[in-house]
Amino acid sequence: MFKKLQGGLSVLGFEEPYYGESAIHPVTTRVDKKSGSVHRSTEATDFNWQSPPYTNVETQTFYFTDLASGNVGFAQIIHSNVMGVHTTAQFTFRLYNINDSSKNIWTSTKLENFKIVDGFNFEADNLKFEMIDGKKYKLRSFVCNESIVELEVERLTDGVIFGDDGMTFYGEDIKQPWGSMRHVFWPRCTVNGRILTKKLGEVTITNGYTMFVMALQGMKPHHAAKSWNFMNFQSSNYAAVQMEFTTPKSYANTKVNIGLVTDNEKILFATIDNEVIHLSPEVDSVGWPVPKSIEFNYVDPLNGNTIAKVTGPLKNLIERIDVMAEIPQFVKNIVSGVAGAKPYIYQYSNEFEIEILDKEKDPKGGKEKGIGFTEVTFISE
């Protein structure tokens, strides 16, 4: 009865009662730290669309970086289900140049006649997204004349999933959870292709880098997390990714952080319980303490030592996204009923620097500059 009541509250969007730490099972506590490895290499089936029959959002996203031109951005397919009765799909695209802020394109297009093919491929009218031989992806999107996208991606390192399944579960019984969170990565890939735009003409990407991530948020976003920190860093010799969310007070403000550092051939570090530091935060016009600089520390799961860090100023604000202004009215009505819900996403991209502190795993390591794409998200108090 209690679980049915909880599920009903989740559907209606009311603020949840306090469940505490016993109702959150982070992926970071479901791994074997003593083994020295908190991850495994991915298989093609790890990228199957989960499509659970309840409220959820699934995404597959390329975060691309062209070091030569300074062009960064992402191409993303969103597959969502509201209350188990209404399924939609969207293609979103961002292009930004860190050297010229006027080169800033954002499109979001509803997909028609979409379908999942063979578990992990995706098709819709004027869009095709397919994995090839478990090592390559091809994306062709002609759904929006403002951003025609053709990309080919090939991974350079193994893919990464934390633990056995990458899952964080919400609910007192882990075998019958009422919510979930999941991430699966290809952290370092090459990307080549072109983007046709009305604003900038043709933009080519030649021997760029990309991080690919598949994510599942298997509950209402404002119930799953009250804030997020995300960073994708790419340089000539390294890739670094860090993903952190903090749950609402219903789940004891629990912080879950996973991170990856690679070179051009292998995974150097897969880490958990890392630390994100907001430096010189200032409260902005909408009331959130927005940092001026940020530091992502990578922590060794065995001894707690910092083994790598990525730091930099947040000087290029691509966009401050008012989530409430972007979502449909019926969803807005649900979220607005939650006390303190004021979701904003702050997107940045500019030069960052990586420093490798563990010379045993990377003897040639030191400091190297590259480009960071960062999202700082505030959802609720």
Side-chain angles (χ1 to χ4, degrees):
M1 178 64 187
F2 178 77
K3 289 182 177 59
K4 289 183 179 179
L5 175 61
Q6 197 281 339
L9 289 172
S10 181
V11 167
L12 291 173
F14 298 137
E15 185 173 13
E16 295 187 298
Y18 181 80
Y19 303 118
E21 293 181 2
S22 64
I24 178 76
H25 310 277
V27 64
T28 51
T29 64
R30 301 176 57 243
V31 298
D32 183 8
K33 293 183 182 180
K34 293 181 181 179
S35 70
S37 177
V38 296
H39 78 288
R40 65 170 174 83
S41 298
T42 59
E43 301 173 357
T45 53
D46 290 319
F47 294 91
N48 282 357
W49 294 86
Q50 304 297 296
S51 300
Y54 48 79
T55 296
N56 73 87
V57 178
E58 280 189 279
T59 59
Q60 293 199 350
T61 313
F62 292 117
Y63 290 91
F64 59 84
T65 305
D66 189 336
L67 295 172
S69 67
N71 286 323
V72 300
F74 60 82
Q76 179 182 68
I77 294 172
I78 304 172
H79 187 264
S80 60
N81 188 323
V82 179
M83 301 187 220
V85 296
H86 183 55
T87 302
T88 63
Q90 199 89 357
F91 178 73
T92 65
F93 179 78
R94 165 76 72 191
L95 178 66
Y96 179 78
N97 188 281
I98 68 168
N99 303 312
D100 184 352
S101 61
S102 68
K103 297 179 178 179
N104 189 352
I105 292 173
W106 163 253
T107 63
S108 181
T109 310
K110 183 180 178 182
L111 298 179
E112 303 290 347
N113 297 317
F114 54 88
K115 61 181 178 180
I116 296 167
V117 183
D118 299 328
F120 44 78
N121 295 328
F122 190 93
E123 294 181 3
D125 289 351
N126 300 312
L127 182 142
K128 189 172 185 179
F129 181 65
E130 58 182 336
M131 182 191 290
I132 302 169
D133 298 330
K135 194 174 182 179
K136 298 179 181 179
Y137 265 110
K138 285 188 177 182
L139 171 65
R140 301 287 185 272
S141 174
F142 301 88
V143 298
C144 177
N145 290 333
E146 301 292 334
S147 58
I148 294 172
V149 181
E150 298 180 278
L151 298 177
E152 295 189 11
V153 168
E154 182 171 2
R155 63 180 173 86
L156 297 174
T157 70
D158 286 345
V160 170
I161 189 168
F162 285 82
D164 293 328
D165 54 16
M167 298 290 290
T168 288
F169 292 112
Y170 295 74
E172 294 182 321
D173 184 353
I174 194 171
K175 295 181 179 180
Q176 293 183 301
W178 57 58
S180 60
M181 192 84 73
R182 179 179 184 264
H183 294 92
V184 191
F185 302 90
W186 282 3
R188 180 72 158 180
C189 315
T190 59
V191 58
N192 293 276
R194 64 174 188 161
I195 301 142
L196 300 178
T197 73
K198 287 187 175 181
K199 181 178 179 181
L200 305 177
E202 181 174 340
V203 176
T204 60
I205 300 177
T206 304
N207 297 325
Y209 294 108
T210 191
M211 184 273 286
F212 174 62
V213 57
M214 182 176 191
L216 165 68
Q217 194 161 277
M219 60 195 300
K220 294 223 180 306
H222 54 289
H223 289 171
K226 72 172 188 177
S227 63
W228 289 83
N229 290 298
F230 163 72
M231 184 266 300
N232 172 47
F233 170 86
Q234 303 285 335
S235 65
S236 296
N237 295 294
Y238 298 102
V241 179
Q242 200 167 128
M243 184 94 64
E244 176 186 273
F245 65 91
T246 302
T247 69
K249 61 183 179 181
S250 300
Y251 301 97
N253 294 327
T254 301
K255 188 175 292 184
V256 181
N257 185 307
I258 52 179
L260 294 163
V261 179
T262 85
D263 61 17
N264 285 321
E265 299 177 350
K266 61 185 180 299
I267 307 299
L268 296 177
F269 313 116
T271 58
I272 59 174
D273 301 330
N274 305 295
E275 182 183 32
V276 182
I277 302 174
H278 287 192
L279 300 170
S280 305
E282 293 183 5
V283 177
D284 72 352
S285 60
V286 299
W288 289 120
V290 182
K292 297 297 183 184
S293 298
I294 199 163
E295 181 175 306
F296 294 87
N297 292 313
Y298 292 79
V299 176
D300 190 321
L302 283 175
N303 56 33
N305 295 334
T306 298
I307 53 180
K309 61 173 61 179
V310 179
T311 58
L314 298 175
K315 61 182 181 180
N316 289 348
L317 176 63
I318 301 173
E319 188 171 0
R320 182 182 69 184
I321 301 170
D322 180 355
V323 177
M324 295 294 281
E326 299 291 333
I327 59 179
Q329 185 63 44
F330 77 97
V331 178
K332 189 181 302 185
N333 292 341
I334 291 173
V335 177
S336 63
V338 178
K342 190 172 53 177
Y344 279 82
I345 303 171
Y346 298 76
Q347 292 179 340
Y348 302 89
S349 188
N350 49 259
E351 186 178 83
F352 274 14
E353 183 177 73
I354 190 170
E355 181 177 7
I356 306 296
L357 303 175
D358 187 336
K359 300 304 189 291
E360 290 186 8
K361 291 189 177 181
D362 185 28
K364 66 180 182 297
K367 294 183 178 181
E368 183 169 279
K369 293 187 183 299
I371 297 176
F373 181 92
T374 309
E375 289 184 340
V376 177
T377 302
F378 301 98
I379 299 173
S380 61
E381 300 288 352

